[in-house]
Amino acid sequence: MVGLANSVPMAEAAATVGLPLRGEAFADRTYNPDGTLQSRHIPGSLIVDLAQVAAQAVAIMKGYGGR
């Protein structure tokens, strides 16, 4: 199940039906150190370089163990 990252209600719902939960992630956005999305009002929060987007997508997948 894919849902809002770090959401307790989503985790509880997934556990209730016996599914693993994977938090949503965005390859074209930057993140704060605590894992939350950086505000779009901050310059550079949207990644527009396709190579950087691809690299971030790979990093996200590696963080999920490639699953």
Side-chain angles (χ1 to χ4, degrees):
M1 188 166 140
V2 176
L4 182 63
N6 301 318
S7 169
V8 172
M10 290 294 293
E12 291 172 350
T16 297
V17 295
L19 293 173
L21 177 65
R22 299 291 180 249
E24 64 184 350
F26 301 92
D28 64 343
R29 294 285 305 279
T30 57
Y31 287 85
N32 295 312
D34 67 356
T36 58
L37 283 171
Q38 183 171 298
S39 170
R40 288 180 184 227
H41 297 292
I42 298 173
S45 65
L46 184 63
I47 303 170
V48 295
D49 179 87
L50 294 180
Q52 288 179 334
V53 171
Q56 179 146 301
V58 169
I60 289 167
M61 291 306 298
K62 284 183 177 180
Y64 280 126
R67 295 183 291 253

